Amino acid sequence: PVLWNKLGGGQVAGQGVKIAILDTGIDISNPLFSPAGFSYPPGFPRGNPGFVNRKVIAAKVFLPSSSATPADQDGHGTNVEGIAAGDLDTPSPLGPISGVAPAAYLGNYRVLDAGGSGSDSLIATGLETALSDGFDIASMSLGATAGAQLDLLATAVENAVAAGMTVVVAAGNDGPNRATIASPGI
């Protein structure tokens, strides 16, 4: 709230910013993603029209199964999207909750299956697509074992950053030792 007040209040925090979430999908029926007060920016919506609203403006799938949809089967992607840009003061059993940038738009780039697995090449394609779709920020709450060289995902992140996108990547929970960082967090 202190930072929001410096920006003009929580109701405008993130206004106009487009955040792509590369994860397990999103449940657009969640109250954190109400389209009330939003309108599509020019050139949107994109992707599967049954999985967008005026808050979630893109819904695309990057999984090998042709029957996969942008729907979240795990809950992780919905949680990550809510943290990033859940609507301001959304009622919950614990009291009102909000995302960091409640006035931002969201993009659902499903790159992980219900078990949290995805192909590095399809994840990289999802990131490249989010960049070409005009998203300002990409969040990747995922990771794989890192090697001594930059791998495909780390290279894709570097390329997106070089093209002007801010990419937020989980450090990962990879072992075998404490504080081990996974790829593409490296």
Side-chain angles (χ1 to χ4, degrees), residues 10-12 15 28-40 52-57 85-91 101-105:
Q11 67 278 6
V12 298
Q15 191 168 43
I28 64 168
S29 70
N30 188 301
L32 283 166
F33 313 117
S34 169
F38 287 88
S39 58
Y40 288 114
V52 296
N53 61 27
R54 293 179 312 276
K55 169 82 172 176
V56 180
I57 60 172
D87 288 342
L88 185 66
D89 294 329
T90 302
Y105 294 108

Side-chain angles (χ1 to χ4, degrees), residues 121-144:
S121 62
L122 291 175
I123 294 169
T125 300
L127 180 59
E128 291 169 359
T129 302
L131 177 65
S132 69
D133 283 348
F135 279 80
D136 307 298
I137 299 168
S139 172
M140 301 172 70
S141 185
L142 51 83

Side-chain angles (χ1 to χ4, degrees), residues 88-171:
L88 185 66
D89 294 329
T90 302
S92 84
L94 301 175
I97 58 175
S98 307
V100 173
Y105 294 108
L106 287 164
N108 175 6
Y109 291 79
R110 185 170 179 205
V111 297
L112 302 176
D113 63 21
S117 295
S119 154
D120 286 0
S121 62
L122 291 175
I123 294 169
T125 300
L127 180 59
E128 291 169 359
T129 302
L131 177 65
S132 69
D133 283 348
F135 279 80
D136 307 298
I137 299 168
S139 172
M140 301 172 70
S141 185
L142 51 83
T145 304
Q149 304 291 325
L150 286 182
D151 59 20
L152 177 65
L153 288 181
T155 301
V157 167
E158 284 197 344
N159 290 340
V161 170
M165 177 181 261
T166 299
V167 182
V168 180
V169 182

